[in-house]
Structures are given as structure tokens and as C-alpha cells.
């Protein structure tokens, strides 16, 4: 308090806050009590931030025992022409069309339920909230906000069709065999 | 007979051991009664005196007390269920089936736990409606309403985390849907889902996390909030009982 009185009126009107902040910044005129209180608060803030970071790191697993995104779908001759074959385990549809093979994600884009192929309707249907998709993955009914994703498909050297569930295609690609 | 029991009980209340635990002793004066409440860790949350009208059925329908009762039932049955349930993918479902068909009284405890959980959600909701329509949320009780909202959230989270534990199809897909709802949070939705499930899919990590949340973290949060909730009833001037209308 005493040092603010020493300041000129000009300084006071211009930057009372800045002057107060400046006075405290280096803690040059702190009492011992203020100094230790600041040290304590600062340490608590650092400890709190450290605990937050520690918890976040601790609760994020570094190693996951989840299935590989790349799956072996089968040999091309296993799939009948113009068919939709679901693999529930890996959550994909392998579609054999006139243009070639492609793969769709079977996880509904609404809330993540596993969809099912309904041959009698020629549609992919989700049991949870009634979304329906055609065999190109385009939504035809229901709450799904996006079409089913197209995954990257390629023919491996051993003659198997491979699907990478982590690579989403932006443009439709077909694998001719 | 009744008088014999009463005299024996009074004699017990004056023994040195009893007096060392309950200091107020056996007196029936207002001071004694007030001290009996005030000097007890659990009872001191409550007022030593209340209006007799606050004990009527009409102002509260006893919904808060009933909610607390279901919570006690859930804690008791939940602890018993924990003795047979392993929160692991190969065992969870069969443990749940064992509780139904193999363990003595297992089906009774499991059903009691399940029905009490449903009842608790209903009662919490009914309690909030009652408080709302009576206007009992108004100052000075506004902060206790906020505590109540958090208690509703804890109740719903307890229901949700408990739902996964049977590890059947219903549980699996309900939690798949629920965790995808968490994903809809802007910016950090994906991270939240990852932390909640301990991975990218509903699997062993998710089961264990939900188990710990359900059995330890959320019940502790509920107990702490219930303690504050009851203490605030006293601090905010007792249960809200409207003045009798002059006719």
C-alpha cells in the first residue's frame, strides 16, 4: 500500500493495475509470508497440473490387444457374382459387383451397432435404430448421418482379397480380378 | 414384558461401556434427545428437531427416504454379488448365469439388485418432480437442488456402468451405443470414448473400467453427495413444508 502512495498521479490513472502487477511480478517487496504463500500456491498449481497429466497418461493404454485393421477377406472365387458377403467378426461387407470387388464397413455410422445384410430387401439394415443402406453404402432410411465407409481392398500375392479397415476411401475403387 | 425390556434397556444405557460410546445417556429430556442426535456422526447430519408436519406423507411422499432405501439395498446386494462376479471377458457372462442358476439365493440377490436399480432411477426422478412441483428448490434450497442434479447424474451413470457387467448382447450393444454418444462431444469426443473404454472397442479394458467405476468410484461419489444433500436439508432450514392455508 505504501509504495502506491509514492507513485505520481499520472502513473496511477494510467495503469494502477499494471503498477500493482509490476510491483508483484518479481516479488521484490514481498513479505516473507507472501513469498511462501506464493511458493505454496505455485507448487499446488504445478502439482495439480502434473496430476492431471499423469492421470491422462495413465488412463490411456499404450498397448492395445485389439484385432489388426487389416483382414484377409477370402479368395475372389469364394464370392458369388453380384453378392454381398458379411464377416461379422471383422465387421465388413465384401461386395462382388460387375465393376469389381469392394468392401464396406458394417458398423452403423449412427451409434456404432453392427448392421446386417437383408437379401430379401437388397438392403443393409441396422437393428438398433432402423438405418438402412443400399449395397453402395448410401443411406436410404433412418438416422445415420453418413454413408457406410468404403475400405481399401487389394489382392495379395497369395491370391487373397485383403481389406484395410483403417483406410477410408474418398472415391469408390473397385478391385478387378 | 414391555416394561421389563424397557427397564433393562435403560439399565444398559447407563452402563459405562454404553455411556463411553453414546454420551447422552438415558434421559428423556429435550436436551438429552437433542444430544443423542447431535453427538452421533450419522444422525448429526439431520436436525435435532423438526416440524411434525414434515413427517407427514403429504409433503414428501417419502420419495427421498425411499431412494436412500433402494441405495442401501443396492450396496448390500452389490457387495454380495461381487463375491461371485469376475470382471473378465471369458468369465463375466457365465458368472452372471451361475448367480442365476447355481449360487444359493443368487437369483434372488441379482434380481433384487436389478429391480432396486430400476426403482432407484424411478424414485430419483419422482423425487425431483415432487421437489420441483412443490417449489422446494427455491432459495434458500437452491444449492441442494444442484447437488440433487449431480445425484441424478451419478444414479444414471451407476445404472449405465452396471448395465455392461452381465456382458450379454443387450449390455454390449447398449454400451457400444452409449460410448458412441460420448464420441459426439465436440473436439475431445474421440479421446473421451477412448479413455472411457480403455481402447477403441468395447472389450476387456472397457469391462474392467466400467466395473471399477460401478463398484468403487461412483458409489463413493454418491455417498459423498448424499451426505452433503442431507446435511444441507438441516442447513437450509429443514424440509420444505408450506404454511397451512388459512381458511
Amino acid at each position: 500500500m505504501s509504495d502506491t502512495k509514492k507513485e505520481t498521479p499520472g502513473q496511477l490513472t494510467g495503469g494502477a493495475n499494471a503498477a500493482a502487477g509490476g510491483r508483484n511480478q518479481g516479488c521484490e517487496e514481498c513479505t516473507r509470508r507472501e513469498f511462501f504463500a506464493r511458493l505454496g500456491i505455485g507448487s499446488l498449481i504445478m502439482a495439480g497440473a502434473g496430476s492431471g497429466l499423469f492421470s491422462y497418461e495413465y488412463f490411456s493404454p499404450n498397448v492395445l490387444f485389439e484385432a489388426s485393421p487389416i483382414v484377409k477377406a477370402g479368395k475372389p472365387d469364394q464370392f458369388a457374382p453380384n453378392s454381398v458377403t458379411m464377416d461379422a467378426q471383422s465387421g465388413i461387407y465384401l461386395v462382388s459387383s460387375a465393376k469389381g470387388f469392394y468392401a464396406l464397413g458394417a458398423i452403423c455410422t449412427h451409434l456404432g451397432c453392427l448392421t446386417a445384410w437383408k437379401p430379401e430387401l437388397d438392403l443393409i439394415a441396422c437393428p438398433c435404430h432402423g438405418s438402412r443402406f443400399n449395397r453402395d453404402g448410401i443411406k436410404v432410411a433412418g438416422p445415420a448421418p453418413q454413408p457406410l465407409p468404403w475400405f481399401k481392398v487389394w489382392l495379395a500375392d497369395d491370391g487373397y482379397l485383403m481389406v484395410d479397415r483403417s483406410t477410408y476411401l474418398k472415391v469408390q475403387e473397385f478391385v478387378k480380378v | 414384558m414391555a416394561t421389563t425390556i424397557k427397564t433393562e434397556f435403560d439399565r444398559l444405557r447407563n452402563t459405562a461401556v454404553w455411556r463411553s460410546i453414546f454420551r447422552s445417556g438415558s434421559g428423556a429430556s429435550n436436551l438429552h434427545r437433542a444430544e443423542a442426535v447431535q453427538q452421533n456422526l450419522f444422525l448429526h447430519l439431520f436436525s435435532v428437531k423438526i416440524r411434525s408436519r414434515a413427517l407427514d406423507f403429504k409433503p414428501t411422499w417419502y420419495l427421498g427416504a425411499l431412494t436412500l432405501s433402494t441405495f442401501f439395498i443396492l450396496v448390500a446386494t452389490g457387495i454380495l454379488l461381487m463375491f461371485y462376479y469376475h470382471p473378465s471377458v471369458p468369465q463375466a457372462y457365465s458368472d452372471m448365469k451361475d448367480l442365476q442358476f447355481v449360487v444359493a439365493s443368487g437369483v434372488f440377490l441379482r434380481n433384487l439388485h436389478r429391480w432396486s436399480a430400476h426403482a432407484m432411477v424411478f424414485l430419483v426422478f419422482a423425487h425431483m418432480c415432487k421437489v420441483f412441483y412443490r417449489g422446494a428448490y427455491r432459495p434458500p434450497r437452491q444449492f441442494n437442488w444442484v447437488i440433487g442434479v449431480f445425484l441424478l447424474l451419478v444414479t444414471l451413470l451407476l445404472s449405465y456402468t452396471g448395465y455392461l457387467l452381465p456382458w450379454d448382447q443387450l449390455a454390449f450393444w447398449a454400451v457400444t451405443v452409449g460410448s458412441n454418444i460420448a464420441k459426439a462431444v465436440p473436439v475431445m469426443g474421440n479421446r473421451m470414448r477412448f479413455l472411457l473404454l480403455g481402447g477403441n472397442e468395447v472389450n476387456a479394458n472397457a469391462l474392467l473400467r466400467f466395473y471399477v467405476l460401478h463398484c468403487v468410484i461412483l458409489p463413493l461419489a454418491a455417498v459423498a453427495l448424499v451426505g452433503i444433500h442431507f446435511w444441507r436439508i438441516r442447513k437450509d432450514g429443514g424440509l420444505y413444508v408450506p404454511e397451512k392455508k388459512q381458511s
Side-chain angles (χ1 to χ4, degrees):
Chain A
M1 280 284 103
S2 58
D3 55 346
T4 46
K5 277 178 191 165
K6 281 180 209 159
E7 282 171 323
T8 61
Q11 273 178 312
L12 266 177
T13 48
N17 286 335
R23 175 169 66 90
N24 291 338
Q25 215 135 51
C27 209
E28 278 157 21
E29 288 178 51
C30 282
T31 60
R32 189 184 303 209
R33 186 182 288 263
E34 269 171 12
F35 173 75
F36 279 111
R38 277 178 199 202
L39 199 67
I41 289 165
S43 316
L44 279 177
I45 290 169
M46 276 171 69
S51 309
L53 195 69
F54 177 91
S55 308
Y56 178 76
E57 289 292 330
Y58 180 77
F59 285 111
S60 309
N62 291 324
V63 179
L64 288 173
F65 298 92
E66 294 178 349
S68 162
I70 296 169
V71 288
K72 213 174 231 187
K75 290 204 164 166
D77 52 17
Q78 281 175 251
F79 304 98
N82 280 317
S83 67
V84 177
T85 311
M86 183 188 190
D87 181 15
Q89 204 59 45
S90 55
I92 55 169
Y93 293 105
L94 204 93
V95 187
S96 165
S97 72
K99 290 187 204 164
F101 290 101
Y102 60 93
L104 292 175
I107 308 294
C108 184
T109 53
H110 178 222
L111 286 169
C113 291
L114 192 63
T115 56
W117 170 244
K118 299 280 170 199
E120 69 276 13
L121 301 171
D122 196 39
L123 284 174
I124 293 164
C126 180
C128 286
H129 308 100
S131 289
R132 286 168 181 222
F133 308 86
N134 66 20
R135 59 170 72 197
D136 285 335
I138 308 297
K139 184 191 84 170
V140 292
Q146 277 160 349
L148 293 176
W150 283 53
F151 293 143
K152 187 176 155 60
V153 184
W154 70 96
L155 197 64
D157 293 339
D158 57 3
Y160 280 90
L161 282 167
M162 306 297 284
V163 179
D164 181 358
R165 293 180 289 167
S166 62
T167 309
Y168 290 39
L169 297 177
K170 290 206 173 60
V171 281
Q172 299 187 347
E173 279 178 27
F174 301 91
V175 175
K176 274 276 183 197
V177 179
Chain B
M1 183 67 189
T3 37
T4 327
I5 292 171
K6 197 170 179 304
T7 17
E8 282 304 303
F9 188 55
D10 278 345
R11 216 164 58 80
L12 179 69
R13 290 213 296 178
N14 282 316
T15 57
V17 174
W18 186 280
R19 288 299 295 270
S20 74
I21 304 169
F22 304 104
R23 295 192 171 167
S24 55
S26 66
S29 70
N30 276 353
L31 179 65
H32 270 109
R33 288 171 168 182
E35 278 180 353
V37 171
Q38 201 200 356
Q39 294 176 354
N40 183 299
L41 172 68
F42 304 102
L43 296 181
H44 95 280
L45 289 173
F46 305 104
S47 314
V48 295
K49 268 185 179 179
I50 54 166
R51 295 184 190 88
S52 61
R53 273 200 294 138
L55 292 177
D56 289 347
F57 176 72
K58 223 180 142 190
T60 58
W61 294 353
Y62 305 147
L63 289 168
L66 287 169
T67 309
L68 182 71
S69 312
T70 53
F71 183 70
F72 283 149
I73 294 171
L74 285 163
V75 170
T77 54
I79 289 172
L80 292 171
L81 292 175
M82 282 170 79
F83 280 99
Y84 277 101
Y85 176 83
H86 302 78
S88 69
V89 172
Q91 279 170 289
Y93 180 75
S94 52
D95 284 350
M96 185 267 295
K97 284 290 163 200
D98 276 359
L99 276 163
Q100 279 186 298
F101 296 111
V102 181
V103 178
S105 304
V107 69
F108 175 71
L109 289 172
R110 181 172 132 74
N111 285 350
L112 198 57
H113 195 76
R114 182 149 199 149
W115 284 105
S116 302
H118 288 311
M120 185 172 167
V121 172
F122 172 77
L123 286 168
V124 165
F125 188 68
H127 175 55
M128 285 186 101
C129 288
K130 181 77 179 155
V131 167
F132 183 79
Y133 285 114
R134 285 168 65 235
Y137 60 86
R138 288 174 301 190
R141 296 177 179 79
Q142 72 272 50
F143 182 66
N144 223 10
W145 171 265
V146 175
I147 299 279
V149 172
F150 280 102
L151 276 166
L152 171 73
L153 285 178
V154 170
T155 307
L156 294 178
L157 285 173
L158 275 164
S159 274
Y160 175 63
T161 51
Y163 206 75
L164 179 66
L165 303 185
W167 202 245
D168 52 9
Q169 284 292 314
L170 193 63
F172 183 86
W173 293 110
V175 171
T176 301
V177 166
S179 61
N180 274 298
I181 291 172
K183 210 158 96 174
V185 173
V187 187
M188 54 183 201
N190 272 324
R191 293 304 300 176
M192 273 176 64
R193 180 171 186 268
F194 185 76
L195 285 179
L196 185 67
L197 298 181
N200 299 306
E201 49 193 51
V202 180
N203 215 325
N205 285 358
L207 181 58
L208 191 58
R209 278 178 192 216
F210 275 53
Y211 178 75
V212 174
L213 284 171
H214 186 75
C215 299
V216 183
I217 295 169
L218 291 169
L220 284 178
V223 167
L225 287 171
V226 165
I228 300 170
H229 200 59
F230 285 3
W231 172 73
R232 284 297 296 219
I233 295 173
R234 168 160 69 87
K235 287 288 166 187
D236 296 341
L239 289 175
Y240 176 69
V241 185
E243 295 301 315
K244 262 192 183 139
K245 284 194 186 86
Q246 303 291 323
S247 51

